[in-house]
């Protein structure tokens, strides 16, 4: 889960990035502001996935989160 805010209150979308390469996760999906989770196609076997979220407001301003990770068992 994540949360986001925008200084002038016009947060529009989140781009969700996910992958096994910490430096270059791929765009998984784009969701409307207010969403706090998505389903992701992941496999088991100890695979580590890296994710980040890019928020965009109605004026096109963007902010990128730090990169998080999780391991699928």
């Amino acid at each position: 889960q994540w949360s986001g805010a925008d200084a002038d209150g016009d947060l529009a979308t989140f781009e969700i990035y996910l992958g096994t390469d910490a430096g270059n996760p791929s765009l998984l999906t784009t969701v409307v502001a207010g969403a706090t989770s998505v389903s992701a196609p992941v496999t088991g076997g100890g695979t580590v996935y890296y994710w980040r979220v890019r928020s965009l407001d109605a004026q096109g301003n963007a902010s990128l989160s730090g990169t998080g990770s999780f391991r699928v068992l």
Side-chain angles (χ1 to χ4, degrees):
Q1 287 189 337
W2 66 86
S3 63
D6 182 64
D8 52 357
D10 65 345
L11 192 59
T13 60
F14 294 117
E15 294 176 347
I16 313 304
Y17 292 82
L18 179 72
T20 56
D21 179 352
N24 192 28
S26 301
L27 179 63
L28 173 66
T29 191
T30 300
V31 297
V32 297
T36 59
S37 64
V38 296
S39 295
V42 297
T43 59
T47 304
V48 176
Y49 288 90
Y50 300 91
W51 62 272
R52 57 184 168 216
V53 178
R54 183 175 181 236
S55 60
L56 293 105
D57 71 10
Q59 298 174 22
N61 299 308
S63 178
L64 186 61
S65 74
T67 301
S69 66
F70 62 92
R71 180 182 305 273
V72 178
L73 303 175

